[in-house]
Amino acid sequence: MNFGQILTAMVTPFDEHEEIDFQATRNLINYLIANGTEGLVVSGTTGESPTLTEEEKVELFKFTVEVVNGRIPVIAGTGSYNTKESMKLTKLAEDAGVDGIMLVAPYYSKPSQEGLYQHFRTIAEVTSLPIMLYNIPGRSVVNMSVETVIRLSKIPNIVSIKEASGNLDIMAEIIDHTPEDFSLYSGDDGLTIPVLSIGGTGVISVASHVIGNEMQAMIKNFKIGNIQEAAKEHRRLLPIMKALFAAPNPTPVKAALNLKGVPVGGVRLPMVPLNDEQLSALQQVLNV
């Protein structure tokens, strides 16, 4: 299923008391839609989901759906290491009116491949919404095998994967052995063009918070066969993409948005703000 080419893994704006700032969230949503975002992933890792309560997540889903008002797809991050809790949150997200669900591989508990399969299958059974799997071994410490993804792709409402292993060989194999309408998205901004070149659909992006239009131009050039120009754009944007991960995500991208005049506040512990040196390096790359 194609949710669009560039989906933004949206940050969660906080006020000075570290509560969700809904006015800032409204402004951010409208800013992203106006600047190259074709879909929103709400309450993913970039949205600081581990620090959001269930109540906050549901409130955020409802609010985002209301503000977006059908302009682009809204995908709710409802995955965790707790299958029953993920089932409950998935049902609440569906009630909130979201367009899809993203389920991260269960972190910390390190389940087997069979455990992964049963986890995702069980959650898929409680919703009619399309589901995007999320493989990010760097954070979850488990890597979904190609065989597990292929098996899961046979479940009717599991329609997509955000693949953040960085392994193009694995991605090519997934694309090759899953149904034609099963989509694969890069979980890494810097691999957007390589993933498109092997048949991927697009990217779930952090950098699109600040260079969404530029990334759209890069993809457009690639799609129309202007490969040299797309490659040039890729090389030009890469330092910005890298700078946004110079400290644990989403601290740099929140700082970048604040610098660019799109206020989103700070981060919740255990994340900490950028130090002066990091902030200065980010300003230099962003030229602000």
Side-chain angles (χ1 to χ4, degrees), residues 90-163:
T90 296
K91 287 193 270 192
L92 290 169
E94 183 164 14
D95 292 343
V98 302
D99 303 291
I101 298 296
M102 188 171 79
L103 299 175
V104 68
Y107 39 91
Y108 189 74
S109 46
K110 295 171 76 173
S112 66
Q113 293 301 312
E114 183 61 27
L116 287 169
Y117 175 79
Q118 296 298 345
H119 170 81
F120 291 120
R121 180 193 63 77
T122 306
I123 300 167
E125 285 177 353
V126 304
T127 182
S128 60
L129 290 175
I131 289 171
M132 177 184 287
L133 306 171
Y134 180 15
N135 188 40
I136 181 159
R139 282 185 183 262
S140 62
V141 203
V142 287
N143 187 39
M144 292 171 64
S145 70
V146 173
E147 293 72 28
T148 300
V149 177
I150 293 166
R151 229 179 130 194
L152 286 163
S153 73
K154 292 171 183 167
I155 295 169
N157 61 329
I158 296 183
V159 299
S160 186
I161 186 167
K162 175 185 177 183
E163 179 53 64

Side-chain angles (χ1 to χ4, degrees), residues 9-270:
M10 190 176 80
V11 300
T12 302
F14 295 133
D15 62 21
E16 63 274 20
H17 305 295
E18 291 188 13
E19 299 298 322
I20 296 175
D21 186 333
F22 286 101
Q23 186 52 53
T25 303
R26 181 186 299 277
N27 295 341
L28 176 63
I29 290 166
N30 288 323
Y31 161 81
L32 290 172
I33 292 173
N35 287 277
T37 292
E38 297 172 316
L40 291 174
V41 175
V42 182
S43 180
T45 316
T46 307
E48 296 175 74
S49 58
T51 73
L52 297 175
T53 65
E54 184 183 88
E55 292 72 27
E56 285 177 319
K57 288 175 184 178
V58 173
E59 206 175 350
L60 196 55
F61 297 153
K62 287 178 179 171
F63 184 79
T64 304
V65 166
E66 182 192 317
V67 174
V68 168
N69 194 25
R71 287 178 286 173
I72 58 173
V74 176
I75 298 173
T78 62
S80 74
Y81 50 59
N82 184 324
T83 308
K84 284 189 175 177
E85 286 298 314
S86 296
M87 290 162 72
K88 182 185 173 193
L89 186 56
T90 296
K91 287 193 270 192
L92 290 169
E94 183 164 14
D95 292 343
V98 302
D99 303 291
I101 298 296
M102 188 171 79
L103 299 175
V104 68
Y107 39 91
Y108 189 74
S109 46
K110 295 171 76 173
S112 66
Q113 293 301 312
E114 183 61 27
L116 287 169
Y117 175 79
Q118 296 298 345
H119 170 81
F120 291 120
R121 180 193 63 77
T122 306
I123 300 167
E125 285 177 353
V126 304
T127 182
S128 60
L129 290 175
I131 289 171
M132 177 184 287
L133 306 171
Y134 180 15
N135 188 40
I136 181 159
R139 282 185 183 262
S140 62
V141 203
V142 287
N143 187 39
M144 292 171 64
S145 70
V146 173
E147 293 72 28
T148 300
V149 177
I150 293 166
R151 229 179 130 194
L152 286 163
S153 73
K154 292 171 183 167
I155 295 169
N157 61 329
I158 296 183
V159 299
S160 186
I161 186 167
K162 175 185 177 183
E163 179 53 64
S165 66
N167 189 320
L168 287 168
D169 292 352
I170 281 173
M171 294 187 222
E173 216 177 322
I174 290 169
I175 292 165
D176 211 27
H177 292 92
T178 50
E180 198 68 35
D181 57 355
F182 186 88
S183 55
L184 181 141
Y185 286 84
S186 171
D188 300 287
D189 283 302
L191 288 179
T192 303
I193 293 296
V195 166
L196 288 173
S197 74
I198 60 167
T201 302
V203 61
I204 313 288
S205 175
V206 173
S208 56
H209 282 94
V210 291
I211 49 170
N213 287 330
E214 292 87 340
M215 289 177 73
Q216 281 288 2
M218 175 183 77
I219 290 173
K220 185 181 177 185
N221 274 317
F222 179 81
K223 288 281 181 80
I224 63 173
N226 197 347
I227 308 299
Q228 295 287 5
E229 193 55 39
K232 193 172 159 187
E233 278 285 286
H234 168 85
R235 294 192 300 271
R236 188 175 71 81
L237 297 175
L238 206 53
I240 297 172
M241 293 171 177
K242 287 170 85 168
L244 294 175
F245 287 90
N249 181 45
T251 310
V253 72
K254 278 193 151 180
L257 284 163
N258 290 328
L259 288 168
K260 282 176 70 73
V262 184
V264 292
V267 288
R268 283 178 175 175
L269 284 170

